[in-house]
């Protein structure tokens, strides 16, 4: 039978026995060098703290002016949601849906799922749907594109600055902080360890 | 390197869950631990990848040949395609940005499609040529694919900000939607592809 500690490399299908990792140790696949598992210091606390702050920054990013623009004596300020909404009024509701999902909805759902699972682990009891929630968080992750959106904003600025002045609103900075938080969460998530802890709750 | 150590899970009748990393029988269609759907049949992965790839190739054409934005400047309307936008940026002296957009919008999607097609073919022909490199190539492809969305976000920001009536307005074109759909379908193609097949088919030395 397979040992509890074994893992199949996601990249090359090698069956690997992963030893118990000390703090700051990482396990790589001996055949293809894929990162299998990592034990980062205070990972669970870091994940919970940054997921909560990230969600808060995302809420703030929707509460204030996002970007401002002025040219030829005219001024315009938009919120984050307005900038998505304009795609609906310009007859591309599907595009608006893709943008809204990838920069707001999916990252938010990811963070909420992670917070829920963290609560469950911190209180050492399995809340309803903990496993389903964790599964969704992992599935959603590649579709969260906050960091790509930020780069997109910077690129569009270089197009605009030649013809107009751009102002960065409070919400823009909140969005930057939100992106940093979600990146820290992703870096500290260890699928294998998280699932092992969730599994232990079920058996208790 | 000892040969004994290098046995794939597939050969031992096992498979790992991509969502929760638990190991179970290769015949299971759903994971024991987390209930996720597993790669149900090994042949399906290649078929799904081909299907998503074909869809993305079809979307790639309107994404590149139809206008992605319409610019209304002092009552005059001009349209621009993705490549047209890159050329304009270059001519206005923003060479680095032009390069970023060219790489993210043209080079990455195109090379992603070619790489996935090559990987599918090498699984189908059971090739054991450059296996570790091909695995790494797949990993890179999976990682960079999302970054093609940059252009979609650039368009949505430009459209959101530049709305000054007849003085200057930018409107989105259908190509933006086609392009976004193309990025999504290439991502789905990469997700459908199972890189373990590269090793399994090479081990067997013939087609799967």
């Amino acid at each position: 039978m397979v040992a509890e500690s074994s893992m199949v490399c996601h990249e090359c299908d090698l069956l690997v026995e992963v030893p118990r990792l000390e703090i700051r140790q990482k396990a790589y696949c001996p055949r293809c060098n894929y990162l299998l598992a990592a034990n980062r210091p205070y990972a669970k606390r870091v994940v919970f703290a940054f997921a909560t702050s990230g969600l808060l920054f995302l809420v703030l990013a929707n509460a204030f002016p996002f970007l401002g623009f002025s040219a030829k004596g005219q001024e315009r300020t938009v919120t984050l949601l307005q900038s998505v909404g304009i795609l609906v009024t310009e007859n591309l509701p599907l595009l608006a849906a893709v943008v809204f999902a990838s920069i707001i909805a999916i990252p938010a759902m990811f963070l909420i799922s992670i917070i829920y699972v963290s609560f469950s682990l911190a209180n050492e009891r399995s809340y309803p749907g903990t496993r389903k929630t964790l599964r969704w968080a992992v599935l959603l992750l590649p579709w969260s594109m906050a960091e790509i959106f930020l780069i997109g904003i910077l690129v569009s600025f270089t197009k605009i600055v030649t013809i107009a002045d751009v102002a960065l609103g409070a919400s823009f900075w909140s969005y930057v902080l939100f992106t940093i938080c979600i990146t820290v969460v992703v870096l500290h998530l260890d699928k294998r360890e998280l699932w092992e802890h969730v599994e232990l709750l079920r058996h208790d | 390197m000892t040969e004994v150590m290098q046995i794939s899970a597939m050969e031992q009748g096992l498979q790992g869950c991509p969502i929760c990393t638990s190991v179970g029988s290769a015949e299971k269609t759903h994971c024991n631990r987390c209930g996720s759907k597993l790669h149900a049949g090994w042949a399906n992965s290649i078929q799904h990848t081909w299907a998503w790839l074909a869809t993305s190739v079809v979307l790639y054409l309107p994404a590149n040949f139809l206008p992605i934005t319409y610019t209304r400047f002092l009552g005059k309307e001009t349209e621009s395609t993705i490549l047209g936008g890159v050329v304009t940026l270059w001519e206005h002296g923003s060479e680095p940005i032009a390069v970023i957009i060219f790489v993210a919008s043209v080079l990455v999607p195109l090379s992603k499609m070619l790489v996935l097609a090559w990987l599918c073919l090498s699984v189908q022909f059971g090739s054991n040529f450059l296996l570790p490199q091909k695995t790494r190539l797949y990993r890179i492809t999976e990682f960079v694919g999302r970054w093609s969305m940059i252009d979609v976000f650039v368009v949505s920001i430009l459209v959101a900000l530049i709305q000054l009536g007849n003085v200057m307005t930018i409107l989105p074109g259908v190509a933006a939607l086609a392009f976004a759909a193309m990025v999504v379908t290439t991502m789905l193609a990469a997700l459908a592809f199972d890189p373990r097949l590269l090793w399994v088919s090479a081990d067997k030395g013939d087609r799967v």
Side-chain angles (χ1 to χ4, degrees):
Chain A
M1 216 25 234
V2 200
E4 193 66 359
S5 58
S6 49
M7 232 179 132
V8 176
C9 174
H10 177 60
E11 291 295 339
C12 76
D13 201 43
L14 187 70
L15 191 66
V16 189
E17 194 87 17
V18 181
R20 177 160 288 283
L21 297 178
E22 299 296 321
I23 293 278
R24 285 185 236 289
Q25 271 190 337
K26 291 176 183 175
Y28 293 94
C29 172
R31 177 154 76 175
C32 73
N33 213 28
Y34 178 75
L35 178 65
L36 293 170
N39 188 356
R40 293 190 173 82
Y42 309 113
K44 268 192 285 181
R45 271 182 268 178
V46 170
V47 164
F48 178 64
F50 279 82
T52 318
S53 340
L55 196 62
L56 212 65
F57 285 128
L58 183 61
V59 171
L60 292 176
N62 282 289
F64 304 103
F66 191 60
L67 296 172
F69 163 84
S70 59
K72 310 215 188 302
Q74 294 193 53
E75 263 186 44
R76 186 179 159 80
T77 319
V78 286
T79 63
L80 186 57
L81 276 177
Q82 278 170 339
S83 73
V84 178
I86 195 125
L87 294 171
V88 180
T89 47
E90 295 301 339
N91 296 322
L92 289 173
L94 260 176
L95 186 64
V98 172
V99 173
F100 177 74
S102 55
I103 67 170
I104 300 175
I106 293 179
M109 279 153 73
F110 170 75
L111 290 179
I112 292 170
S113 311
I114 291 298
I115 292 169
Y116 188 75
V117 174
S118 299
F119 256 124
S120 196
L121 290 179
N123 293 344
E124 290 183 349
R125 40 184 288 231
S126 190
Y127 292 145
T130 302
R131 286 141 42 81
K132 201 178 258 178
T133 315
L134 182 54
R135 201 176 92 205
W136 273 103
V138 178
L139 278 172
L140 284 175
L141 193 55
W143 305 95
S144 156
M145 303 191 182
E147 72 281 23
I148 304 172
F149 180 56
L150 271 191
I151 303 290
I153 294 174
L154 296 181
V155 170
S156 60
F157 282 178
T158 62
K159 288 192 170 190
I160 297 176
V161 285
T162 51
I163 52 168
D165 290 325
V166 180
L168 305 173
S171 276
F172 173 80
W173 296 111
S174 297
Y175 199 87
V176 171
L177 292 173
F178 151 72
T179 309
I180 293 172
C181 288
I182 201 170
T183 310
V184 172
V185 170
V186 172
L187 283 178
H188 283 80
L189 271 189
D190 186 85
K191 275 194 274 183
R192 170 171 163 268
E193 205 203 272
L194 215 51
W195 274 105
E196 265 164 20
H197 286 298
V198 167
E199 195 68 357
L200 284 178
L201 290 182
R202 193 163 71 137
H203 293 313
D204 283 346
Chain B
M1 230 191 274
T2 45
E3 270 307 305
V4 192
M5 293 293 286
Q6 309 280 316
I7 302 174
S8 70
M10 178 69 177
E11 282 174 294
Q12 301 176 52
L14 297 169
Q15 66 178 335
C17 172
I19 302 298
C20 76
T21 75
S22 76
V23 183
S25 157
E27 279 147 38
K28 284 258 166 60
T29 55
H30 289 82
C31 173
N32 257 354
R33 177 149 81 179
C34 71
S36 301
K37 199 176 172 188
L38 300 168
H39 278 285
W42 294 83
N44 279 343
S45 157
I46 299 295
Q47 279 176 21
H48 282 135
T49 312
W50 278 124
W52 286 120
L53 260 185
T55 318
S56 63
V57 171
V58 170
L59 289 164
Y60 188 74
L61 300 174
N64 277 281
F65 293 109
L66 293 180
I68 194 162
T69 51
Y70 299 91
T71 310
R72 214 176 277 157
F73 187 64
L74 300 173
K76 214 171 51 181
E77 195 170 282
T78 50
E79 45 183 56
S80 70
T81 57
I82 290 176
L83 266 179
V86 171
V87 172
T88 316
L89 275 172
W90 187 274
E91 282 169 350
H92 285 93
S94 319
E95 284 94 351
I97 305 295
V99 171
I100 291 180
I101 295 291
F102 181 75
V103 169
S105 308
V106 184
L107 220 55
V108 165
L110 205 59
S111 39
K112 195 172 167 180
M113 289 174 200
L114 290 174
V115 164
L116 284 174
W118 180 40
L119 294 180
C120 280
L121 286 175
S122 44
V123 168
Q124 283 170 317
F125 287 100
S127 147
N128 58 6
F129 176 66
L130 296 178
L131 270 182
Q133 287 82 352
K134 274 196 284 199
T135 308
R136 176 147 305 149
L137 202 59
Y138 169 74
R139 214 181 292 162
I140 295 169
T141 306
E142 196 185 27
F143 177 75
V144 297
R146 316 155 62 234
W147 287 90
S148 297
M149 282 298 263
I150 285 184
D151 222 16
V152 173
F153 296 141
V154 170
V155 169
S156 65
I157 289 296
L158 289 179
V159 168
L161 283 179
I162 309 186
Q163 295 286 333
L164 301 179
N166 271 332
V167 179
M168 196 192 323
T169 297
I170 292 188
L171 301 173
V174 200
L177 179 59
F179 188 83
M182 191 269 298
V183 176
V184 170
T185 48
T186 49
M187 280 176 72
L188 288 169
L191 281 176
F193 184 80
D194 191 335
R196 294 172 295 189
L197 285 177
L198 287 169
W199 298 82
V200 172
S201 67
D203 284 346
K204 283 185 183 170
D206 57 10
R207 66 184 172 76
V208 176

